[in-house]
Amino acid sequence: MNTGICIWSSSTLRAEASHRSEMVSQLLFGETYTIIDQTPEWLKIRTTDCGYEGWLSHKQHTPLSDEEFARYETQPRYRVRDTFLYIRDAQTNIAFPVFIGSRFPLPDNGLFLLGSKRFRVTLPEPTETPRHEGLSVQQDELLDTAFHYLNAPYLWGGRTPAGIDCSGFVQNVFANLGIQLPRDASRQVDLGQNVDFVDEAQIGDLAFFENEEGYIIHVGIVCGYHQIIHSSGHVQINTLDSNGIFRADLGKYTHQLRIIKRILE
């Protein structure tokens, strides 16, 4: 069994096989992976969705058989669209939250399986996303998802409203639309079509920012005319112009604009 699934609210992926190593990303509830290397206490994994690699503690590994993995990857799944949703372990009856972006099989009478583990859930009543005049359905859904993360604290490697980094935020928002982006901003920038001028930017475009050496170090989502939502200190909305991100509260530019890319059609 060389595959596994996350059955926790989130699981930490580290750069090296050590708890002292930096966190590079997180698995969300219901995300799967393939084992590509291991030590007695750690597994080097590759995520199924975007091929990101990192080290996962054996203690947070839940194995899947080849049959379970194939069945899970092809069956209809529910994706959490609220900030969090409570799941209950059917055996222990202990409830715990899973975050926006988590996914699991569509429940049958409130029950579903992840591998051999059974969970209980009450799905929220469907609600209609408020429509913004002049926007596409995708742009509406994108804004609704992005705004769920507002004020979430910045966390290097984070992917949840409890802590999230800039590229994890962008990746999660687009995944909610069924668009899978790479994990890191340095790879996200390779996608989409160039937008030549800030005035031409549309809601859902990605703005990338560089350091003095020219490396891409930050990314955010255009969320209005000359507005960007991004994770820096916390998820917030700031002014975007041809120079970069201007923070009115600080009275200065904090990020230098490199390029704007269009992902949505």
Side-chain angles (χ1 to χ4, degrees):
M1 290 184 285
N2 292 318
T3 58
I5 191 166
C6 177
I7 63 168
W8 316 103
S9 297
S10 64
S11 291
T12 297
L13 297 185
R14 299 195 178 276
E16 304 293 341
S18 168
H19 286 294
R20 295 184 177 183
S21 179
E22 69 172 337
M23 182 172 78
V24 292
S25 193
Q26 292 174 309
L27 294 171
L28 301 182
F29 183 84
E31 291 186 332
T32 58
Y33 53 87
T34 301
I35 300 168
I36 57 177
D37 197 3
Q38 58 185 305
T39 71
E41 296 183 359
W42 293 86
L43 301 171
K44 189 173 187 181
I45 68 161
R46 180 181 295 123
T47 61
T48 303
D49 284 348
C50 66
Y52 195 79
E53 296 180 5
W55 288 90
L56 174 73
S57 170
H58 262 293
K59 295 176 181 178
Q60 294 192 341
H61 168 56
T62 299
L64 290 178
S65 67
D66 292 342
E67 181 182 350
E68 289 170 335
F69 179 82
R71 182 170 61 248
Y72 180 74
E73 289 300 319
T74 56
Q75 67 188 151
R77 283 177 278 179
Y78 178 85
R79 181 181 287 272
V80 178
R81 297 180 182 273
D82 295 318
T83 305
F84 63 87
L85 175 69
Y86 276 98
I87 302 290
R88 192 173 295 274
D89 186 313
Q91 181 177 359
T92 65
N93 206 36
I94 295 174
F96 59 97
V98 299
F99 296 106
I100 183 171
S102 301
R103 76 290 305 267
F104 49 83
L106 291 176
D108 182 11
N109 291 321
L111 292 172
F112 66 90
L113 284 173
L114 290 186
S116 59
K117 192 86 169 174
R118 188 180 300 272
F119 298 92
R120 186 181 303 277
V121 65
T122 300
L123 298 182
E125 292 294 326
T127 57
E128 208 170 300
T129 302
R131 290 304 307 271
H132 298 81
E133 187 176 352
L135 298 188
S136 68
V137 173
Q138 272 193 324
Q139 288 174 318
D140 263 325
E141 291 181 356
L142 179 143
L143 287 182
D144 182 61
T145 301
F147 291 165
H148 273 81
Y149 290 93
L150 277 170
N151 288 328
Y154 180 88
L155 176 65
W156 178 271
R159 292 183 60 222
T160 80
I164 195 163
D165 63 23
C166 64
S167 57
F169 168 66
V170 167
Q171 185 189 47
N172 283 9
V173 170
F174 276 81
N176 199 53
L177 302 179
I179 300 172
Q180 186 61 55
L181 301 183
R183 175 64 178 87
D184 294 334
S186 60
R187 292 185 57 205
Q188 292 171 356
V189 73
D190 295 330
L191 305 179
Q193 302 298 316
N194 291 359
V195 176
D196 294 328
F197 303 102
V198 174
D199 286 348
E200 297 175 351
Q202 298 177 6
I203 289 174
D205 289 349
L206 298 185
F208 294 89
F209 305 85
E210 64 184 2
N211 61 13
E212 293 180 354
E213 288 75 38
Y215 294 106
I216 299 296
I217 58 167
H218 191 63
V219 61
I221 303 172
V222 175
C223 63
Y225 184 71
H226 282 252
Q227 288 188 315
I228 186 169
I229 183 169
H230 64 125
S231 182
S232 177
H234 60 278
V235 177
Q236 57 187 297
I237 297 174
N238 296 125
T239 299
L240 174 69
D241 62 26
S242 58
N243 292 314
I245 295 175
F246 183 78
R247 289 275 301 271
D249 57 328
L250 301 178
K252 66 177 183 179
Y253 287 93
T254 57
H255 297 82
Q256 180 178 333
L257 181 64
R258 167 74 167 273
I259 195 171
I260 299 175
K261 305 295 287 284
R262 181 155 299 155
I263 304 297
L264 300 182
E265 296 180 358

